[in-house]
Amino acid sequence: MAAAAAAAAAAVGGSQSPQPEVPAPGLALDKAATAAHLKAALSRPDNRAGAEELQALLERVLSAERPLAAAADGEEAAAASGGGGPGAAEEEALEWCKCLLAGGGGYDEFCAAVRAYDPAALCGLVWTANFVAYRCRTCGISPCMSLCAECFHQGDHTGHDFNMFRSQAGGACDCGDSNVMRESGFCKRHQIKSSSNIPCVPKDLLMMSEFVLPRFIFCLIQYLREGYNEPADVPSEKDLNKVLQLLEPQISFLEDLTKMGGAMRSVLTQVLTNQQNYKDLTSGLGENACAKKSHEKYLIALKSSGLTYPEDKLVYGIQESSAGTSTLAVQGFAGATGTLGQLDSSDEEDQDGSQGLGKRKRVKLSSNTKDQSIMDVLKHKSFLEELLFWTIKYEFPQKMVTFLLNMLPDQEYKVAFTKTFVQHYAFIMKTLKKSHESDTMSNRIVHISVQLFSNEELARQVTEECQLLDIMVTVLLYMMESCLIKSELQDEENSLHVVVNCGEALLKNNTYWPLVSDFINILSHQSVAKRFLEDHGLLVTWMNFVSFFQGMNLNKRELNEHVEFESQTYYAAFAAELEACAQPMWGLLSHCKVRETQEYTRNVVRYCLEALQDWFDAINFVDEPAPNQVTFHLPLHRYYAMFLSKAVKCQELDLDSVLPDQEMLMKLMIHPLQIQASLAEIHSNMWVRNGLQIKGQAMTYVQSHFCNSMIDPDIYLLQVCASRLDPDYFISSVFERFKVVDLLTMASQHQNTVLDAEHERSMLEGALTFLVILLSLRLHLGMSDDEILRAEMVAQLCMNDRTHSSLLDLIPENPNPKSGIIPGSYSFESVLSAVADFKAPVFEPGGSMQQGMYTPKAEVWDHEFDPVMVILRTVYRRDVQSAMDRYTAFLKQSGKFPGNPWPPYKKRTPLHPSYKGLMRLLHCKTLHIVLFTLLYKILMDHQNLSEHVLCMVLYLIELGLENSDEEESDEEASVCGPERCHDSWFPGSNLVSNMRHFINYVRVRVPETAPEVKKDSPASTSSDSLGSLQSSRRPKVLQRENSGTAQVFSLVAERRKKFQEIINRSSSEANQVVRPKTSNKWSAPGSAPQLTTAILEIKESILSLLIKLHHKLSGKQNSYYPPWLDDIEILIQPEIPKYSHGDGITAVERILLKAALQSKMNKRIIEEICRKVTPPVPPKKVTAAEKKTLDKEERRQKARERQQKLLAEFASRQKSFMETAMDVDSPESDIPMEITTAEPQVSEAVYDCVICGQSGPSSEDRPTGLVVLLQASSVLGQCRDNIEPKKLPITEEEQIYPWDTCAAVHDVRLSLLQRYFKDSSCLLAVSIGWEGGVYVQTCGHTLHIDCHKSYMESLRNDQVLQGFSVDKGEFTCPLCRQFANSVLPCYPGSNVENNPWQRPSSKSIQDLIKEVEELQGRPGAFPVSISSETNLSKEMESVMKDIKNTTQKKYRDYSKTPGSPDNDFLFMYSVARTNLELELIHRGGNLCSGGASTAGKRSCLNQLFHVLALHMRLYSIDSEYNPWRKLTQLVEEMNSQLGNEEQQPEVPILYHDVTSLLLIQILMMPQPLRKDHFTCIVKVLFTLLYTQALVALSVKCNEEDRSAWKHTGALKKNICDAEKSYEVLLSFVISELSKGKLYHEEGTQECAMVSPVAWSSESMEKYLQDFCLPFLRITSLLQHHLFGEDLPSCQEEEEFSVLSSCLGLLPTFYQTEHPFISASCLDWPVPAFDIISQWCFEINSFTERHAEQGKALLIQESRWKLPHLLQLPENYNTIFQYYHRKTCSVCTKVPKDPAVCLVCGTFVCLKGLCCKQQSYCECVLHSQNCGAGTGIFLLINASVIIIIRGHRFCLWGSVYLDAHGEEDRDLRRGKPLYICKERYKVLEQQWISHTFDHINKRWGPHYNGL
């Protein structure tokens, strides 16, 4: 290689003075020869000449001048030149390059040769956004590890925790890279370290590449330089994209080279990183004007980017030696002149845009950041560096990114590229900030950086050699500096603090995330994080960065007006704190896990405290937070808190050694406490004027993704402060912050100067709740990770049952990926199985789909339910209630507690010794005074106190008793009691002794209007004082006065005093507690009453108050009796459970017991109190507010009664509706419930109108109709003749062909008939409607047709968006809301059951046949003649129109002459056929079950028949061709038919479909039909059917069988019952048909069809019965609907005989002993042999000419099985992998949203414009073609099923669930999914029963766009 390089260098040297004579001969030869010639020349040892020749050639071929001329003249030229211009030249150039690389050989062979030398140890496949990849957490070392699908499936990941995901930013496959994943997960291809056995690359193979590629890449760079015009403004997207399009082929060529494998990559690496080549080619020093110009453009581009280019030659010299290192080494050189000035100017451009962000001016920082070189110097020394520069300039074009990444498997390149990337980091940031498309650009940046920085080794190397950390932190700091504003927190005027402005695009659009995510990525590597934590300078800079976010997005409470504009900046603020501050913090914390890392924590804590101190100074903070302001963002506090927690938990640091002084602690606690108080204010609706967004902030603050970076650290920090500060100070601060100090008075009235009365109660609850949480929470105070996880999980499950995925989402994961508590990790699953039971997904009949849920185990409710944790973690307050309701239900159910339980008291995990001080809060006088006051107020029924308050007061007392440290030293403590008492309320600070301390008098300040102001002396009797308190309202403790009788306590003064002691400031300023008075509730506005002092006599202790409370709660006098008086054991061995259920009464008992246990004195006092008779509890006075609630209750009661009455009225209607509309098998289900229930004596049917409520018969002028839904259906056509359901194809080989479906078979038959016979007769010989048949269903409700019309009008005027389109006639049934689109008129007249025509007649069959013929011939023999237009006939016509319009024209018109009446005739009787066949399918394909199945209840076939008959009779069949004659009369002259050859013959009667004939005959009769006529028609048709069966049988068997049967039958011909013996008839048929050619044509191929089984008489009988059964079933159904007769139930084997006797085919005297013979049902109207020979003659005359078709047309036995959807594979992945990359057969692209039809398996593009035809997208089109408007599609990328029904669609849900029984819509979680058979069955059921419209509720219009 050295020689080659030297030669190249020489060549370059030579090329500067080009020699014109060389290239000419070269170009004359063809390319291949030239290439071969050059290769030979270069292979010589002295290759100087060859090299020069090659250079000259390349110069010509790759000259950048040609294409660029076009580019320079502007785009027009480029566009115009099109083919001939630059495009062609570039093509040519590429061709040359390929030839030269291959050295004269073929390019493809060359590629193959190079590939052979590929040591493919790494996969390295690069993908772009939306690619489907996999991530396996079990195999990954880095959390970013990902695999391509191929490597994933080739590796073994069974049982691993993996998921499939759609790449957002793009990525690359890590298979084979042991830095990122464990080797066990490598796939088969990349397991072997194959480099050893790959042969060495022969030198000459790649020799040409080494010469050609540098020029090629240089050429590319020149293009990029030329194309970039730096105009005044930022170049528009359009121009850049044009240049990139031109370069597409070149970059693709490079990309292809990288894919040739390792050998070629190493050549490319050489070329890209070789500095000499770069220097020679690009310096622009030669005479070549073009090169000069290009170099100038490059310099301009550098300058305009705010970068300088070190021109200084001296610097150049120094740099040569350390070629590898980056330019960062050069820090002090002169080039970095206009540094910040330029930065500013580049920012000015954005300024205009930002003016709209309010009046707050941006703040510019003076540039004190270190190291300008990081920001402003770039120097390129290799192709790679300049290529990256242009890639950034052009905003990361996808192609370039892919090329650069494809090279990464080459190790040398990887290092060089990473260094280059770091060197350009600042430039990337600047480009990103200016970019218009920052989202796409961010994704591309991360696409690259995640490949580089996930690798720990590489990250460490770059950190050491290129100052990676310095660069990142500096760049982030710079980025944020551009959007700072002055902070308005605290001291608005003089604040020096600056914060980021959350309204700026930079934050709003999350533009910073690529840089932050890189930073988080490198901090996850221990070696890098350690450098960061050791570097003090970096920590200072970083804290400086974090302080930009401290106090951002400040909220000011609106007091007067509602804000005009609700800003949504809080999204940006929370995201910024989480991503830019918290995530890096968790990353750092993960490396501080052991003792050895103590130093790091000390560093962080030190700089954090410094930054906090600076912040307090900057905002001028003393000791009072500014009122009505809150910011939720205190990242510095949270850093400090989390590092403290880590220090104590993992590093065994002494907490006090890292805590600041008391003054600092006091400051630290203020802001987090302010947030807690503000939360209570927000929930009390005090911030409503700030709009909904403030609630949003309060919710986000505690939401699962944020809570462990926001509220948890805040509470922990408060706990730390509380454990170290004076408890009285802390408690009084809390009540002051929550603004409830004024409420804590013994007086019944008070003035609250800072809070409106309506907010007092909830704020008091807030304050107490906060104290409870503060004292009970142990998240950072000693719980282990597993305990935390368990507590979190229990809290979430107690609120609601949860799905597995929502649990994963709701449990705040430890955000650091290496912590081990990864969602889905082992500990998660094991804890889950310990605390919860899985409820499998159940299926509800309404069709709502359940997911698999987890629900808490009983023992969790019993021992672990923790309301404190629930309150802390609820985003919505209603969840707390939900948890309590579930808890109550559990206790009731398990019989543990019947009443209304209180939140249970739960013993806590022991405190970590460092935090023991926290418990002092429970033993401080201030808290005891508050508890005493509240107990007193509750006892006295003061206002604004709730059970909730009492509950928490008791909870705090109980906590205090649990945590009292010193057991009382004997009783003498009480001796000095009275003296000490002189000074304050309580003698000591221990709760146990304070509980028994009696307080006699209290002096209070009250408004003069208060009842306590009495002129009596303090010595009033106790009864008086109680009486005076009866009307009390509320409390207060103010201004201490040292008088011996009364104590007064002021929280505020107390707190200030403590603060004074700590900070020795002059007392004067601290005592100015003058606050503005707010309006006073008690007096006329403006005249605030004077406060006056009153003295109350109390004479209670906490214990006595508790005992009285017990009486009050239980409502009985003296209800408390100390339990130990009966059972002294209780005191000796107290069994106090760790966990207790119960209500207030049990809580009081528990507390008294604990108090007695802890001190003998308390025990004695309790006994004493109980001995005294307690005074009666004051009676409750009904206040106005309570009166209001009572009224409310009364009103509610009345409303309830009214409702009951209404409901009762409704119930009767409801019942009838339930029976008709819902498939509820009511007890009467065995009686067929027709539309009406008829009394025998009434002959007219009576209908109820569900709109006007009247009932009456349907009449001519006011007809009633049934609410019906008409829909086209192709379900029948989907029946197949094999039992095995078809599978969905999942490989290329499997295909589904529709030729064996019922629809296809019928189509073929009809077109065959139409080829040979007269059209009009063909259309009577078959039925249509197998595809696109009209199915009619009803909910069973009726309405007057005129009522319906007005109902439709009102719907039309109703502007509410309905899910249906009124213009198309759609509506919902007014009673049951079922979807419908038409009304079917009820024919006036008799009811079905008592039909006068039903009496059996004794007429002979011959007479009946005559009557039938006469009746058919009589046109329009209706009671109403059609000519007189009545309302009824109009409606009949309009409904017929509706029926026709329901299906598409192609499913109606089958005749050759369009619009012929025969078409309508065929269509109408086919509608009847479709509905009968579908009902048969709904009954399971046979009638064995009998009865009126549920379908019968809602059947509307009777009405439908009337409508169809009315219209059929408009068409009279010409009497000379009525099939009835052919069936019942012998035609005299048979030959007449053959006479008219020229005309097509009629269809032979044996080719007719008998069921169709039945419907034609019946619909041609006048309605209502007489039963004996019906039976007559059936008998006649049965003879034809039986003959068809015999013919089919004769064709099925072979020649010998035929002759044998012919013979045996002929012998029996003369017996008496010959006409009823199938053997005789069969032999006759055979002999008749033998006259024609039907049997002759049998060639050898036919033999295969013939079954080798010998026919026994049983098998023949079975064949004949099976042939006739379908007809008998349909006929029986028809009889059931027309005459209301019941269907008998039977076994499958006797179905034939039961149905035939039910139809009257079997003679009544028939004996059932001997085996049943089907032939005995025959009743020939004319001699059998005559008519059979007549029928056979028609067939013979046809088979004369067309024997083949003659046989094909004989009706085969119909053996259709029930329709099914395609069978789906068990695992969803098999579908997904095949279809998501499959190309569409129409447009041959891979669809963006592929879908597959579950009925026929067709693959379609959902919403794809590519396959749109006449404004219909492919799915809609397919739903029309495949399902006549109903389509069921599986969306491949979402695993969801979508239903299209006509013009509407709905999402049905998924039939694939994961291991936890959940759907995964859109495959977001990417876990393996398995088929849920039950769901699929339900889907299929809805399809077959046509109930999609009724069961699925969420329909929307699709506008043909699916």
Side-chain angles (χ1 to χ4, degrees), residues 1452-1466:
R1452 292 200 307 264
D1453 283 9
Y1454 283 93
S1455 119
K1456 293 182 181 167
T1457 52
S1460 84
D1462 302 317
N1463 247 334
D1464 291 346
F1465 198 74
L1466 165 67

Side-chain angles (χ1 to χ4, degrees), residues 621-623 663 667 1059-1060 1062-1070:
F621 181 73
V622 186
D623 69 326
E663 182 181 351
K667 288 183 174 179
F1059 196 72
Q1060 287 308 332
I1062 296 162
I1063 311 164
N1064 297 313
R1065 291 213 176 83
S1066 64
S1067 56
S1068 59
E1069 60 172 319

Side-chain angles (χ1 to χ4, degrees), residues 863-1020:
H863 304 299
E864 294 187 56
F865 168 50
D866 179 6
V868 177
M869 196 69 190
V870 170
I871 289 172
L872 180 74
R873 286 290 179 250
T874 45
V875 180
Y876 301 103
R877 288 290 157 113
R878 58 169 182 264
D879 287 343
V880 183
Q881 193 49 51
S882 156
M884 278 309 294
D885 293 346
R886 289 158 59 91
Y887 169 65
T888 310
F890 162 77
L891 291 184
K892 278 208 177 88
Q893 203 180 337
S894 57
K896 292 216 160 63
F897 188 83
N900 247 348
W902 278 20
Y905 176 79
K906 180 176 183 230
K907 264 211 152 134
R908 299 286 150 190
T909 5
L911 266 178
H912 187 286
S914 302
Y915 308 108
K916 277 280 183 266
L918 181 61
M919 284 306 141
R920 295 180 314 159
L921 287 189
L922 289 163
H923 298 282
C924 73
K925 292 181 193 172
T926 313
L927 183 67
H928 300 169
I929 294 170
V930 170
L931 296 176
F932 181 86
T933 309
L934 289 172
L935 281 174
Y936 179 79
K937 288 175 78 69
I938 288 167
L939 192 63
M940 290 301 165
D941 286 324
H942 286 186
Q943 274 197 339
N944 271 346
L945 295 168
S946 58
E947 187 178 54
H948 192 48
V949 171
L950 175 59
C951 178
M952 287 184 291
V953 167
L954 294 180
Y955 186 92
L956 288 169
I957 294 177
E958 192 159 1
L959 261 181
L961 289 173
E962 294 268 318
N963 293 291
S964 70
D965 3 330
E966 67 266 26
E967 278 292 312
E968 268 186 278
S969 60
D970 264 355
E971 309 303 324
E972 65 264 23
S974 62
V975 179
C976 55
E979 288 82 345
R980 241 199 277 155
C981 178
H982 203 70
D983 165 58
S984 70
W985 289 52
F986 288 107
S989 61
N990 188 343
L991 178 63
V992 180
S993 54
N994 283 351
M995 278 182 85
R996 59 171 178 264
H997 178 73
F998 265 79
I999 290 177
N1000 297 316
Y1001 293 99
V1002 173
R1003 170 168 300 165
V1004 292
R1005 303 285 304 276
V1006 287
E1008 283 174 345
T1009 51
E1012 288 90 341
V1013 182
K1014 299 232 310 234
K1015 305 295 170 257
D1016 268 350
S1017 67
S1020 59

Side-chain angles (χ1 to χ4, degrees), residues 672-829:
L673 183 56
Q674 185 68 24
I675 292 179
Q676 308 316 311
S678 303
L679 281 181
E681 290 179 3
I682 290 166
H683 287 301
S684 311
N685 290 334
M686 289 166 61
W687 288 70
V688 285
R689 294 197 177 88
N690 287 56
L692 274 178
Q693 55 97 19
I694 194 78
K695 273 226 156 100
Q697 294 188 50
M699 280 151 72
T700 312
Y701 175 69
V702 298
Q703 197 259 338
S704 62
H705 297 122
F706 294 88
C707 61
N708 53 355
S709 310
M710 316 274 286
I711 189 171
D712 292 1
D714 287 352
I715 296 226
Y716 168 70
L717 188 60
L718 287 167
Q719 286 173 322
V720 171
C721 293
S723 70
R724 292 296 184 275
L725 287 171
D726 177 88
D728 292 300
Y729 170 76
F730 191 88
I731 294 281
S732 43
S733 298
V734 170
F735 286 106
E736 194 185 353
R737 281 295 133 259
F738 279 84
K739 304 183 178 173
V740 287
V741 174
D742 294 348
L743 171 69
L744 300 174
T745 166
M746 293 279 179
S748 59
Q749 295 185 1
H750 65 271
Q751 284 178 309
N752 195 330
T753 46
V754 281
L755 202 58
D756 290 346
E758 72 258 29
H759 298 140
E760 281 189 332
R761 176 169 135 192
S762 62
M763 287 303 289
L764 177 63
E765 287 176 6
L768 291 168
T769 310
F770 165 66
L771 280 177
V772 166
I773 289 179
L774 188 80
L775 290 162
S776 323
L777 203 61
R778 298 279 183 276
L779 284 182
H780 291 284
L781 308 185
M783 284 172 86
S784 69
D785 280 353
D786 278 349
E787 288 173 320
I788 293 176
L789 180 63
R790 187 172 179 123
E792 297 275 10
M793 202 175 284
V794 168
Q796 290 301 345
L797 288 167
C798 288
M799 296 180 218
N800 286 300
D801 290 351
R802 307 280 190 191
T803 60
H804 187 269
S805 63
S806 65
L807 255 184
L808 272 179
D809 194 47
L810 287 166
I811 289 193
E813 52 167 304
N814 189 332
N816 152 44
K818 293 191 174 166
S819 66
I821 306 189
I822 303 172
S825 67
Y826 165 72
S827 53
F828 184 92
E829 297 304 329

Side-chain angles (χ1 to χ4, degrees), residues 310-456:
E311 284 293 339
D312 195 342
K313 286 286 177 289
L314 171 92
V315 178
Y316 242 84
I318 304 171
Q319 282 293 297
E320 297 303 275
S321 56
S322 56
T325 63
S326 79
T327 330
L328 291 174
V330 196
Q331 291 188 7
F333 66 75
T337 44
T339 50
L340 207 78
Q342 286 176 340
L343 246 180
D344 273 19
S345 64
S346 68
D347 280 342
E348 294 310 320
E349 301 160 14
D350 321 339
Q351 283 232 329
D352 327 323
S354 65
Q355 284 311 311
L357 295 166
K359 298 163 287 300
R360 298 155 83 177
K361 183 85 179 75
R362 278 204 197 137
V363 179
K364 278 279 179 289
L365 287 196
S366 59
S367 171
N368 53 0
T369 8
K370 44 188 222 167
D371 209 351
Q372 286 310 221
S373 63
I374 290 186
M375 297 307 297
D376 299 321
V377 181
L378 266 187
K379 168 162 182 282
H380 299 125
K381 296 201 295 303
S382 68
F383 284 132
L384 179 57
E385 294 176 8
E386 192 173 338
L387 260 185
L388 181 62
F389 172 77
W390 287 113
T391 304
I392 300 167
K393 244 338 188 184
Y394 280 92
E395 301 195 1
F396 291 90
Q398 188 66 66
K399 275 281 194 202
M400 289 293 290
V401 172
T402 322
F403 161 64
L404 293 170
L405 287 177
N406 270 330
M407 288 290 297
L408 282 178
D410 189 293
Q411 209 42 47
E412 192 186 337
Y413 169 84
K414 194 170 193 164
V415 175
F417 179 61
T418 309
K419 289 181 175 173
T420 310
F421 188 78
V422 172
Q423 176 194 346
H424 282 79
Y425 209 71
F427 179 47
I428 291 175
M429 181 269 290
K430 293 176 178 175
T431 317
L432 178 62
K433 257 173 52 183
K434 287 188 192 164
S435 163
H436 304 298
E437 290 286 318
S438 59
D439 276 0
T440 357
M441 187 164 161
S442 301
N443 281 337
R444 307 267 168 84
I445 296 174
V446 173
H447 188 179
I448 297 178
S449 62
V450 77
Q451 303 309 321
L452 312 180
F453 298 141
S454 297
N455 184 328
E456 174 152 13

Side-chain angles (χ1 to χ4, degrees), residues 262-333:
M264 183 53 96
R265 281 195 208 115
S266 59
V267 173
L268 273 167
T269 305
Q270 281 307 313
V271 172
L272 286 170
T273 52
N274 184 323
Q275 302 199 358
Q276 193 56 44
N277 271 352
Y278 178 74
K279 195 170 156 191
D280 296 338
L281 280 170
T282 63
S283 55
L285 302 176
E287 304 83 275
N288 188 330
C290 171
K292 260 201 181 114
K293 192 167 136 204
S294 142
H295 189 67
E296 278 161 25
K297 283 207 102 159
Y298 162 63
L299 290 178
I300 291 170
L302 266 182
K303 263 215 181 50
S304 68
S305 309
L307 302 166
T308 49
Y309 181 80
E311 284 293 339
D312 195 342
K313 286 286 177 289
L314 171 92
V315 178
Y316 242 84
I318 304 171
Q319 282 293 297
E320 297 303 275
S321 56
S322 56
T325 63
S326 79
T327 330
L328 291 174
V330 196
Q331 291 188 7
F333 66 75

